[in-house]
């Protein structure tokens, strides 16, 4: 029987999902990796503080270093500096200068601090990094024969006195702190290092340091600590990876619900239609090798089955969730692995022709373990429905 007026008003809830049809995006984060490094500085010059001309107190030196960078800010190193130091004195009595040199080797243990990372954040692609260092070690000196020769000549000048640096000096006292043989003294040092990036593992480094030790280093008695300053250049090579990357997926799209009121005019009683049979959801667990984010050949068939299901059910959508096992690695590594495992499955689905608007994905790292067996949690769980 026909009815000429509206006999039915009802509320219906329609879900409208606002989603971006383009590929889901995220951000890539650089993660610092602790590493060892070696450094060789074959080009160096030293200035030893003294009383004669600046050029007369310059000498060559070299340095070799083994270090460990523990974090993006802090590290430690063992540096061995060596070659030659110089000293000299000028006496107004005879208007003569005496100069001498000796050999040394100085191993030190230093703490390092990356100033660039502290001020601007960790960036492995930065062209120039500035670091500070400070430490303590020993200076082992030998070959002081030229100082002994100078001492004899100074004493032979007589017993007159002369003003040197506003101090009265008596020549008959000679070099009061003259030493021979091999001497070991504590040395403290501090300075700055500048590294120019060549590649992820290679840098060209420049270093300036100030070194101080007791008054007897240069054989002269001055009533203050002795100092020498080094400028060095060389190459630094990292042993192992200095950083890794971590992909952080973009947040899931917000689901918005819209209410609509629909009027329906019924002219003729309609025969109830049987609802279409809904396909059962499909789940496939795609397992990965330890530490890997590559789909193995043995697991590829599972991806193909998901693709076939989605093509046979055009309205179906799929969710991919990546996991890592809690028995190995740490949160940083496991977050990267879980995200990579989800990402590689998503890319395989898109390559097979599945629209990005039908795919959602997530990663749980090792914080969620879907299986009791540890090894089974190296997985991407794919649910299509």
């Amino acid at each position: 029987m026909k009815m000429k007026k509206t006999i039915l008003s009802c509320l219906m809830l329609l879900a409208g999902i606002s989603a971006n049809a383009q590929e889901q995006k995220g951000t890539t984060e650089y993660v610092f990796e602790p590493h060892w490094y070696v450094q060789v500085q074959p080009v160096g010059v030293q200035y030893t503080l003294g009383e004669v001309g600046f050029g007369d107190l310059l000498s060559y030196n070299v340095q070799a270093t083994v270090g460990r960078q523990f974090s993006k800010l802090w590290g430690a190193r063992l540096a061995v500096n060596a070659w030659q130091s110089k000293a000299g004195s000028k006496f107004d009595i005879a208007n003569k200068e005496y100069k001498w040199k000796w050999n040394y080797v100085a191993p030190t243990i230093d703490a390092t601090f990356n100033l660039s990372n502290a001020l601007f954040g960790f960036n492995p692609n930065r062209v120039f990094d500035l670091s500070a260092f400070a430490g303590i070690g020993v200076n082992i000196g030998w070959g002081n024969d030229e100082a002994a020769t100078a001492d004899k000549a100074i004493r032979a000048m007589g017993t007159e006195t002369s003003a040197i640096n506003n101090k009265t000096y008596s020549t008959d006292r000679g070099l009061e702190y003259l030493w021979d043989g091999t001497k070991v003294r504590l040395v403290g040092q501090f300075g700055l290092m500048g590294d120019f990036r060549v590649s992820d593992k290679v840098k060209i480094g420049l270093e300036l340091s100030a070194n101080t030790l007791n008054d007897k280093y240069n054989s002269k008695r001055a009533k203050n600590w002795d100092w020498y300053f080094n400028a060095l250049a060389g190459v630094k090579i990292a042993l192992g990876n200095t950083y890794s990357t971590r992909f952080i997926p973009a947040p899931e799209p917000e689901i918005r619900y819209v209410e609509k009121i629909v009027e329906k005019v019924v002219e003729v009683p309609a025969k109830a239609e049987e609802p279409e049979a809904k396909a059962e959801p499909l789940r496939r667990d795609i397992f990965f090798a330890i530490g890997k984010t590559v789909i193995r050949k043995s697991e590829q068939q599972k991806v193909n089955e998901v693709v076939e299901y989605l093509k046979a059910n055009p309205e179906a959508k799929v969710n991919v969730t990546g996991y890592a096992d809690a028995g190995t690695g740490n949160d940083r590594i496991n977050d990267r692995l879980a995200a990579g495992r989800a990402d590689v499955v998503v890319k395989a689905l898109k390559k097979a022709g599945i629209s990005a608007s039908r795919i959602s994905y997530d990663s749980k790292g090792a914080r969620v373990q879907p299986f009791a067996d540890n090894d089974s949690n190296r997985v991407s769980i794919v649910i299509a429905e």
Side-chain angles (χ1 to χ4, degrees):
M1 181 178 66
K2 294 183 179 181
M3 303 182 67
K4 296 183 181 180
K5 62 180 181 179
T6 301
I7 62 173
L8 179 63
S9 294
C10 63
L11 294 173
M12 298 182 65
L13 183 66
L14 302 176
I17 302 178
S18 174
N20 191 336
Q22 299 180 358
E23 182 181 353
Q24 292 191 6
K25 297 182 179 180
T27 58
T28 299
E29 180 181 70
Y30 291 117
V31 180
F32 172 84
E33 296 289 348
H35 59 275
W36 291 92
Y37 65 86
V38 295
Q39 186 173 26
V40 179
Q41 295 161 301
V43 181
V45 62
Q46 179 183 109
Y47 171 71
T48 310
L49 201 61
E51 299 164 359
V52 294
F54 180 84
D56 293 327
L57 296 174
L58 294 178
S59 56
Y60 294 108
N61 71 342
V62 296
Q63 185 165 284
T65 302
V66 176
R68 172 79 172 172
Q69 194 66 34
F70 299 105
S71 70
K72 61 184 180 181
L73 296 182
W74 292 101
R77 69 176 193 173
L78 170 64
V80 180
N81 181 264
W83 202 331
Q84 194 176 80
S85 291
K86 292 183 178 181
S89 278
K90 182 176 181 180
F91 296 91
D92 293 336
I93 299 170
N95 195 25
K96 292 190 65 176
E97 286 186 350
Y98 292 90
K99 293 172 285 188
W100 57 95
K101 59 182 180 291
W102 63 99
N103 298 319
Y104 77 94
V105 60
T108 59
I109 296 177
D110 304 316
T112 64
F113 183 77
N114 192 304
L115 297 170
S116 296
N117 286 343
L119 295 173
F120 308 111
F122 175 64
N123 180 4
N125 297 317
R126 185 181 292 118
V127 175
F128 177 77
D129 269 327
L130 181 66
S131 299
F133 64 90
I136 191 170
V138 293
N139 181 293
I140 305 169
W142 73 93
N144 201 33
D145 298 337
E146 291 185 9
T149 301
D151 177 67
K152 291 180 181 179
I154 293 169
R155 292 179 183 275
M157 292 169 59
T159 58
E160 298 183 52
T161 60
S162 176
I164 301 175
N165 295 334
N166 297 320
K167 297 179 181 179
T168 300
Y169 188 91
S170 177
T171 58
D172 66 341
R173 293 162 60 185
L175 299 179
E176 294 184 68
Y177 288 158
L178 177 66
W179 54 272
D180 59 5
T182 299
K183 295 296 182 182
V184 179
R185 301 178 177 89
L186 285 176
V187 59
Q189 74 164 352
F190 57 90
L192 295 173
M193 297 181 293
D195 292 321
F196 294 88
R197 182 180 184 275
V198 177
S199 67
D200 286 347
K201 294 187 177 182
V202 179
K203 294 182 178 181
I204 300 297
L206 300 176
E207 177 177 323
L208 297 174
S209 68
N211 302 261
T212 185
L213 59 175
N214 69 36
D215 189 22
K216 297 183 179 181
Y217 183 61
N218 62 7
S219 299
K220 298 184 302 180
R221 184 172 182 267
K223 297 183 179 180
N224 52 254
W225 289 4
D226 289 334
W227 289 82
Y228 60 83
F229 305 89
N230 294 331
L232 296 150
V235 62
K236 178 189 288 185
I237 301 174
L239 306 179
N241 294 328
T242 59
Y243 71 97
S244 59
T245 58
R246 176 172 58 193
F247 180 74
I248 303 175
E252 292 291 332
E254 180 183 358
I255 299 177
R256 299 177 181 176
Y257 296 94
V258 180
E259 289 187 353
K260 289 187 178 180
I261 298 177
V262 180
E263 279 192 353
K264 184 177 181 182
V265 178
V266 180
E267 296 291 344
V268 179
K271 183 179 179 181
E273 296 183 0
E274 294 183 0
E276 293 184 5
K278 186 177 180 181
E280 290 293 326
L282 176 73
R283 169 173 169 163
R284 291 293 181 267
D285 299 334
I286 301 171
F287 296 98
F288 292 80
I290 184 171
K292 302 295 183 181
T293 59
V294 178
I295 299 175
R296 295 181 288 185
K297 291 183 179 180
S298 60
E299 301 296 299
Q300 182 61 44
Q301 180 57 32
K302 297 178 182 179
V303 178
N304 297 339
E305 292 171 1
V306 175
V307 172
E308 292 172 3
Y309 177 93
L310 292 170
K311 289 183 176 180
N313 299 276
E315 300 301 319
K317 296 188 176 182
V318 62
N319 177 261
V320 181
T321 306
Y323 298 87
D325 69 282
T328 56
N330 53 45
D331 284 345
R332 183 181 71 252
I333 295 172
N334 289 333
D335 286 345
R336 173 169 56 83
L337 287 172
R341 289 164 180 167
D343 184 62
V344 74
V345 175
V346 169
K347 288 180 179 176
L349 295 175
K350 291 177 182 178
K351 186 177 180 180
I354 305 303
S355 171
S357 62
R358 301 174 66 189
I359 304 171
S360 61
Y361 61 92
D362 193 7
S363 63
K364 303 295 186 182
R367 297 173 179 84
V368 177
Q369 299 287 272
F371 298 102
D373 174 42
N374 180 72
D375 294 353
S376 297
N377 292 306
R378 306 164 191 151
V379 67
S380 281
I381 296 179
V382 183
I383 300 176
E385 58 182 337

